Amino acid sequence: MSGGSLITLKEDESGANGSGSNNAVQHPSNAQQNVGSNGSDRQQNSGNAGSGAGSAPAEGSRQNSLQRIQQRKQKVFNLPVAQKLAKLSMYSACQAEGCRCTGWKTPQENRHRDVESSYCPEFSEECRNTSCRHSLQSHISHLDGISAAEMNNFLGAIIDMENLFMSMQRVDDDDTKKVYLYLFRLLRQCVITRQQAVIRGPLGDPPFESPCIAKAVYSFVFYKYNHLSPNELQTMTEVAKTFLNFLNHYNFEPPSMRRADLKNDDASTYKINYTRWLVFCHVPAFCNSLRHFETSLVFGRTLLRTVFQYMAQQLKKKCISERDRFPADKRSIITQMPKFLEALKAELLKDDSPIWDQSYRPPTAFLLQQRKRQQDTTASATGVSSSNASKKIGSGEPAHKRVKKEISERSTGDVYYEDLPDDVVIRAMKAVSESKAINKTEILFPVNVSRDENVKAEEQKRAIEFHVVGNSLTKPVDKQTILWLLGLQSVFAHQLPEMPREYISQLVFDTKHKTLALIKENMPIGGICFRPFPSQGFTEIVFCAVTMSEQVKGYGTHLMNHLKDYSIQKGILHLLTYADCDAIGYFKKQGFSKDIKLARPVYAGYIKEYDGATLMHCELHPSIVNTQFISVIRRQSEILKELIAQRHNDVQKVRPGLTCFKEGLPSIPVESIPGLREIGWKPQMRAHRTGRPLEESSDPEKLAASFAAVLQSVRHHASAWPFLKPVTVAEVPDYYDHIKYPMDLKTMGERLKKGYYVTRRLFMADMARIFSNCRFYNSPETEYYRCANNLERYYQTKMRELGLWDK
């Protein structure tokens, strides 16, 4: 099942003859390609890093491809600065006023030479583009002061972009080609704007389904094989790891090749998941400018169902073909694999299998046992890891990814050691339960009870019910649903008197809208009318109301929690609504915010806009059950208080005084005082001062270069447009009546050129004045106010990256 060629690679001339057998390599002189939208001529020595169709790529081939990509990047990183700038100039817009050239093109006489090899152009050489004819210097003038690390990041993105472009030329499938083109343009824009690549849009954010495949597979191991002996259970765990590793390296078929064996709905879902896999899993494995996710950690049952049959066949064939290559003590994995796959397939097809239940979790004892075995395995392999450390440095895995991975593993291990013993937690839970049982007053009249607690009690007694209802034109609608819809229409009409009744009726009975109805005594007393947009990843809330006589009872909160859980079950993690002034308070209590985190193109043209209303957004977490969230938090709080009380009792001991001083001892180490360590004291190491590395520097040029880099990045941010130049009286007549000390990015650039910013504090004070002035003059609901908040966060991030921020 192939997703097209993985990534096309470029090699230097010396590496052409040493390529793997899976790669069709051309000599550079025979493979001239026009790469990139700027039309710069490049020499390409192309190779296909993909494996055969219908299989996961061979690990050696995959690792070889990663190494070759990293070797090329390292070669570019080691080039002289002049050649690096020439490489960047090919993807940088001309800075000359009025020029529209998007990238410097090598002069005609040097068009067949490559800056990655021996060609180092002069800064005075003119661009070959007839509409430009400006010098190389004009294309790189905005790169003055850029740090070496930032330059290497953009050069790496350029190499990834070129590999994507070559792969896009080779792949035949239109769906795959469109994704490659989208990612190519994304990286191209990131290089132009000098920003990090972030993927936003209708694809949503990982993880896409819960539980993920990895969690379900490990739950399956316990569910199916917990009765086995420890050694046999460990073998099945290794089988599960092998299966997940194969899945993470598997190449899925394009949707065009799966249309024959999938229904319309399944084909549409598979196309979405295939696109997500390409964008978040497949391409980032080779393009480290994009964030990479493992397939088994971001996808769930839906994807696995559509690919399991073909993938299982390939895995079985691979086990048979590589049986002899397995060590003798590992061949039991090969033997058990077919049985494992058949059992997993049965659970995959069951609608009521517990392994796909979000609340299903193996017992803590089982998890601790597996964790201990994993730690033992890691400890035994420490010697081997240390001996191979030097080899790993030269591997194809990017350095920044490797460091993050090692840090993640260490931090995960630390969490394991810091977990409280199970018996301590169980004892605390038992004490909390006994305390409630003894204190009858607490049960009858609970302190600080949540607003939806009584509503949940009514729901458990079936005094109230929640139903998602809607009209349909393709199938008959029962009488009860029609009556409820009529009742909901009446509730919305009474509670929203400014909304036309015809408009309410139109939306409530529209087939694309649904309504979450609160039913009491078989009559609707409240509801939320909404329209889901699965392709865009959000739900629009249209009406939300509860009958006047039933208000202030917590029904509104519980209604919204039910809607959140319903959206999560449908894979939608964003709620949007236009709230009038009377409803803003309610939506804020339900977790909505005026800070819209969705990109405007995602919802613009889909959601209905209302005059005089405020757009609000709520982002949902796929692991939270909102109808139980408050109860869970309260329960956790009670257990935590009990644990603190137990700990307090343990350390609240009267210890005898020190007698060593009477015996003539002048001093003792602090850590030797009895009881000090028992109460949690730890010796504190004095941290090495690393803050303000540049302010105290004796090199003013180094400090100015850092300020220039920050200022340049801030100018190119999407939210910087209101602050690029001074506010004029013609635009805002009363601005200077309120703002006595104006500041803008243009003025800061002029001050920087004159050498005004001799210390970090002067630079930070002017930048802070920009944001404070904006927030003082504009109200929080305005676009200017939001731009100030967004740009300030970005500015602080850039300052931290350069070690200039110690707050």
Side-chain angles (χ1 to χ4, degrees):
M1 298 172 68
S2 173
S5 62
L6 295 183
I7 290 297
T8 302
L9 306 177
K10 174 183 182 295
E11 289 188 0
D12 57 6
E13 187 172 350
S14 61
N17 297 328
S19 60
S21 58
N22 290 336
N23 301 302
V25 181
Q26 299 175 341
H27 193 276
S29 61
N30 299 327
Q32 297 171 2
Q33 296 289 341
N34 191 321
V35 177
S37 59
N38 63 343
S40 60
D41 294 318
R42 301 287 336 287
Q43 294 178 0
Q44 290 296 335
N45 190 348
S46 56
N48 189 346
S51 59
S55 66
E59 188 61 31
S61 174
R62 182 187 182 92
Q63 191 66 19
N64 184 44
S65 300
L66 288 170
Q67 288 179 358
R68 291 166 61 194
I69 292 173
Q70 191 62 20
Q71 286 169 3
R72 183 192 167 196
K73 288 186 178 181
Q74 197 59 48
K75 176 185 174 183
V76 174
F77 296 162
N78 293 333
L79 289 174
V81 175
Q83 284 178 254
K84 287 185 178 181
L85 289 172
K87 182 76 175 176
L88 286 172
S89 71
M90 297 177 180
Y91 298 90
S92 298
C94 181
Q95 302 299 304
E97 186 174 355
C99 185
R100 296 185 178 181
C101 180
T102 58
W104 186 76
K105 296 173 182 59
T106 312
Q108 187 68 32
E109 62 273 14
N110 296 317
R111 62 178 300 181
H112 298 303
R113 302 174 67 186
D114 192 350
V115 296
E116 290 186 28
S117 53
S118 58
Y119 175 49
C120 184
E122 299 291 338
F123 287 167
S124 58
E125 291 189 30
E126 292 184 356
C127 176
R128 195 177 77 246
N129 191 339
T130 55
S131 63
C132 178
R133 294 299 184 185
H134 293 108
S135 66
L136 173 62
Q137 181 64 39
S138 298
H139 288 78
I140 61 173
S141 59
H142 63 293
L143 299 175
D144 292 341
I146 187 174
S147 65
E150 193 174 5
M151 184 181 294
N152 287 343
N153 285 338
F154 292 127
L155 288 170
I158 288 175
I159 295 172
D160 289 340
M161 182 172 58
E162 292 176 349
N163 286 336
L164 270 172
F165 184 84
M166 294 302 298
S167 297
M168 184 173 61
Q169 305 303 313
R170 291 176 170 270
V171 72
D172 296 327
D173 179 69
D174 290 337
D175 294 323
T176 307
K177 185 172 293 189
K178 288 177 182 177
V179 175
Y180 283 178
L181 178 60
Y182 163 73
L183 294 176
F184 168 81
R185 288 174 173 170
L186 174 68
L187 291 178
R188 175 93 171 96
Q189 186 65 23
C190 290
V191 172
I192 292 175
T193 59
R194 296 172 60 189
Q195 294 181 358
Q196 190 69 26
V198 178
I199 299 172
R200 295 190 177 95
L203 290 177
D205 300 320
F208 305 110
E209 195 172 353
S210 182
C212 66
I213 296 173
K215 181 181 182 300
V217 167
Y218 284 121
S219 297
F220 166 75
V221 171
F222 169 78
Y223 177 70
K224 195 72 177 178
Y225 303 109
N226 189 41
H227 63 281
L228 300 178
S229 64
N231 290 336
E232 291 175 323
L233 182 59
Q234 181 63 22
T235 299
M236 299 312 297
T237 304
E238 294 296 328
V239 172
K241 289 180 181 178
T242 303
F243 170 79
L244 293 174
N245 183 65
F246 186 84
L247 173 67
N248 288 331
H249 293 83
Y250 195 70
N251 292 334
F252 300 115
E253 280 184 329
S256 58
M257 300 178 64
R258 295 297 309 274
R259 288 172 185 157
D261 58 336
L262 291 175
K263 299 178 182 178
N264 290 336
D265 293 342
D266 293 338
S268 176
T269 303
Y270 179 74
K271 183 175 182 179
I272 294 173
N273 283 330
Y274 174 79
T275 306
R276 287 170 169 170
W277 170 76
L278 279 178
V279 170
F280 293 101
C281 304
H282 180 67
V283 174
F286 294 87
C287 298
N288 58 13
S289 303
L290 303 170
R291 186 181 177 187
H292 177 248
F293 296 88
E294 295 287 0
T295 305
S296 62
L297 296 178
V298 297
F299 290 100
R301 187 178 193 178
T302 304
L303 177 67
L304 189 59
R305 268 183 168 178
T306 56
V307 302
F308 185 82
Q309 179 179 353
Y310 298 96
M311 193 184 75
Q313 292 174 359
Q314 295 299 326
L315 181 53
K316 290 176 184 178
K317 291 178 181 178
K318 191 174 181 67
C319 289
I320 295 173
S321 63
E322 299 189 3
R323 178 183 179 87
D324 295 336
R325 295 176 57 187
F326 268 69
D329 58 336
K330 296 290 186 181
R331 288 183 184 173
S332 57
I333 297 176
I334 302 296
T335 306
Q336 296 294 336
M337 184 61 74
K339 183 172 69 173
F340 174 88
L341 293 174
E342 289 300 321
L344 181 58
K345 179 181 178 181
E347 296 302 321
L348 188 61
L349 297 177
K350 284 183 183 177
D351 292 331
D352 57 347
S353 175
I355 71 170
W356 301 104
D357 187 351
Q358 295 187 33
S359 61
Y360 180 80
R361 187 172 183 269
T364 307
F366 172 78
L367 296 177
L368 291 174
Q369 188 179 20
Q370 296 298 102
R371 190 180 298 166
K372 185 176 184 302
R373 287 176 181 168
Q374 185 177 4
Q375 290 172 356
D376 294 341
T377 305
T378 304
S380 63
T382 302
V384 179
S385 300
S386 59
S387 65
N388 293 335
S390 59
K391 297 180 181 179
K392 286 187 177 181
I393 294 175
S395 67
E397 185 175 6
H400 72 276
K401 284 193 175 184
R402 185 168 61 248
V403 170
K404 289 180 181 178
K405 184 177 179 182
E406 292 170 356
I407 292 174
S408 176
E409 290 173 353
R410 288 199 299 270
S411 64
T412 304
D414 293 340
V415 172
Y416 290 164
Y417 286 111
E418 292 177 358
D419 278 350
L420 290 173
D422 290 345
D423 57 337
V424 174
V425 179
I426 292 172
R427 189 167 71 246
M429 293 173 66
K430 185 178 180 181
V432 170
S433 300
E434 291 176 351
S435 175
K436 285 189 175 183
I438 294 173
N439 193 351
K440 300 295 183 182
T441 307
E442 181 72 14
I443 296 176
L444 295 175
F445 306 101
V447 179
N448 296 328
V449 64
S450 61
R451 292 191 65 190
D452 66 341
E453 201 67 37
N454 294 329
V455 182
K456 287 194 289 186
E458 288 186 54
E459 186 179 10
Q460 290 177 354
K461 298 175 183 177
R462 305 300 294 271
I464 60 173
E465 296 178 350
F466 294 86
H467 298 276
V468 176
V469 295
N471 198 8
S472 176
L473 298 177
T474 58
K475 56 183 180 180
V477 182
D478 60 90
K479 181 179 178 181
Q480 183 65 75
T481 299
I482 293 296
L483 291 175
W484 283 348
L485 289 173
L486 288 170
L488 289 165
Q489 186 267 350
S490 178
V491 170
F492 292 141
H494 280 91
Q495 297 304 123
L496 306 171
E498 296 183 2
M499 197 68 66
R501 284 178 174 266
E502 296 80 4
Y503 181 69
I504 293 175
S505 302
Q506 176 186 341
L507 297 188
V508 169
F509 287 92
D510 179 45
T511 56
K512 296 179 181 178
H513 289 71
K514 296 182 181 297
T515 304
L516 175 63
L518 169 58
I519 307 299
K520 187 173 186 178
E521 297 178 356
N522 207 32
M523 289 291 294
I525 61 171
I528 300 177
C529 181
F530 61 94
R531 179 179 178 181
F533 291 94
S535 62
Q536 302 303 108
F538 76 92
T539 291
E540 175 194 7
I541 297 176
V542 184
F543 306 127
C544 177
V546 176
T547 304
M548 181 67 71
S549 60
E550 301 291 348
Q551 289 183 2
V552 200
K553 294 182 179 180
Y555 288 137
T557 298
H558 205 50
L559 259 172
M560 188 61 69
N561 287 337
H562 268 285
L563 179 61
K564 291 177 180 178
D565 289 346
Y566 176 83
S567 296
I568 291 173
Q569 291 172 7
K570 299 297 182 181
I572 298 176
L573 302 181
H574 298 275
L575 301 179
L576 288 174
T577 186
Y578 270 94
D580 59 29
C581 57
D582 296 329
I584 289 177
Y586 164 78
F587 282 107
K588 281 186 176 180
K589 292 178 182 178
Q590 308 310 317
F592 284 73
S593 169
K594 298 177 184 178
D595 184 13
I596 312 301
K597 297 182 179 179
L598 277 177
R600 181 170 176 78
V602 175
Y603 60 85
Y606 293 89
I607 188 172
K608 292 177 284 293
E609 300 187 7
Y610 299 89
D611 294 335
T614 303
L615 181 62
M616 303 189 73
H617 170 246
C618 178
E619 185 174 3
L620 306 178
H621 195 288
S623 301
I624 293 178
V625 181
N626 291 273
T627 50
Q628 302 296 329
F629 182 69
I630 298 178
S631 301
V632 170
I633 293 297
R634 286 179 177 273
R635 178 71 168 170
Q636 291 176 346
S637 176
E638 292 169 351
I639 295 173
L640 185 60
K641 290 178 181 178
E642 180 62 28
L643 288 170
I644 293 173
Q646 291 181 5
R647 181 64 176 162
H648 186 267
N649 293 334
D650 291 339
V651 301
Q652 197 75 0
K653 295 179 180 178
V654 179
R655 301 180 184 272
L658 298 173
T659 59
C660 55
F661 300 111
K662 293 181 180 179
E663 299 170 358
L665 197 66
S667 63
I668 60 172
V670 176
E671 57 267 21
S672 65
I673 299 176
L676 199 59
R677 290 186 180 273
E678 286 79 354
I679 64 174
W681 178 88
K682 294 180 181 178
Q684 295 182 351
M685 300 297 293
R686 186 176 183 85
H688 180 67
R689 180 179 176 86
T690 59
R692 305 188 210 174
L694 297 175
E695 181 175 346
E696 292 82 12
S697 173
S698 59
D699 187 359
E701 295 182 0
K702 188 175 182 181
L703 189 62
S706 300
F707 292 156
V710 173
L711 197 59
Q712 187 71 12
S713 298
V714 170
R715 281 175 180 160
H716 284 87
H717 193 269
S719 298
W721 59 269
F723 317 110
L724 294 176
K725 59 182 180 179
V727 178
T728 64
V729 177
E731 295 174 336
V732 188
D734 66 334
Y735 183 80
Y736 293 96
D737 295 336
H738 302 278
I739 303 300
K740 302 302 181 184
Y741 303 99
M743 184 53 58
D744 60 275
L745 296 176
K746 181 180 179 181
T747 303
M748 288 189 67
E750 294 171 352
R751 287 189 169 189
L752 181 62
K753 290 180 181 179
K754 295 177 181 178
Y756 171 80
Y757 299 118
V758 294
T759 65
R760 179 171 59 109
R761 293 298 175 189
L762 287 173
F763 183 83
M764 293 172 64
D766 277 359
M767 191 67 77
R769 185 173 294 136
I770 293 177
F771 306 127
S772 61
N773 286 347
C774 178
R775 284 190 282 259
F776 178 80
Y777 185 82
N778 300 284
S779 61
E781 294 81 15
T782 62
E783 183 70 18
Y784 300 98
Y785 199 100
R786 286 193 289 271
C787 285
N789 291 340
N790 294 337
L791 191 62
E792 185 177 41
R793 286 194 293 266
Y794 177 77
Y795 152 71
Q796 292 175 1
T797 301
K798 299 301 292 185
M799 292 287 283
R800 289 190 183 95
E801 290 176 358
L802 295 176
L804 296 173
W805 192 270
D806 57 1
K807 293 185 179 180

